[in-house]
Amino acid sequence: MSVQWPLLLFSVLLGTSSGMLAYLGVHEARGRRATASFLIAVLALVLLAAGGVASTFHLGHPERALHIMGNMGSGLSRELIGVGITAVVALAYAVCVRAKYDGAARALGICALVCGVVLPVIAGSSFMMASRPVWNSFTLPLLYLGSGLGLGFTLACVIACAKGADGDERAFAVKLAFAGVAAAVAVAIVWVIWVAVAPYADASRSVMRLAAGDMAVIFWLGAVVVGMAAPLALGFMALRAEAKRVVAYVGGAFACLLVGSVAVRVCMYALATSVQQLIY
């Protein structure tokens, strides 16, 4: 299957936005608002909107995007509803933070945490279909969730630390970023394991295409070295780094995760061949 770049871009932007909202929600849940919370919320909203726009270019007629609401049981309809709810929550949270409505902001922050976890799962679930064995597993929604947490936590941590988060908050933000990186790496490994054991084995969707076939370079270099090993190393260094170096290390981890997320999704599309007997 060819790479669907509008959907790939949509999933990466949606995941990053969701992870940033979850980051804000975690801070609100522990009773201490994140530094630069307004900026992080607004950026999350912008990324979510940009992803939504990108996804419409996957359609033959982008102007008909709202027609998918005609089938409320479809994965695309659930995605659209989830994106809409998440956007409203992010906007309301940003407004309350700006207006200093602390109680409302805390409640909306918890809602943002829920949206930040649920939305990537909904987006990943929309790809699950019996005719494409590599996609027909809950490891795919987990992949979307894990990569989103990694991207969102690291980017939000960079913003908060660059904006002057104090020592305690900075230490917690770095730990949260490292947890996000670990989650992204762990679910990517779980998904690769699923590829190896998925039913209806076929050379076109074999894990050997990743290990030693035509996808080996993008898998080992893009997904494993840049997307897994490098972010883990940089995240570990950030945990032990002086304050002035945290932004560089965590920012590097975000950049590597971004490359890795794209690489994994390219592999995801390449291996998404169909089982004919489940179609006809």
Side-chain angles (χ1 to χ4, degrees), residues 23 27 32-36 156-174 243 246-247:
Y23 174 93
H27 279 78
R32 182 174 177 179
R33 183 156 304 140
T35 297
C157 176
V158 168
I159 294 172
C161 292
K163 288 294 184 179
D166 63 28
D168 290 341
E169 182 185 351
R170 182 175 63 251
F172 180 75
V174 173
V246 165
V247 171

Side-chain angles (χ1 to χ4, degrees), residues 181 224-237 249 252-253 256-257:
V181 170
V224 176
V225 176
V226 177
M228 298 184 193
L232 282 174
L234 288 166
F236 183 76
M237 292 167 68
Y249 286 143
C256 290
L257 279 177

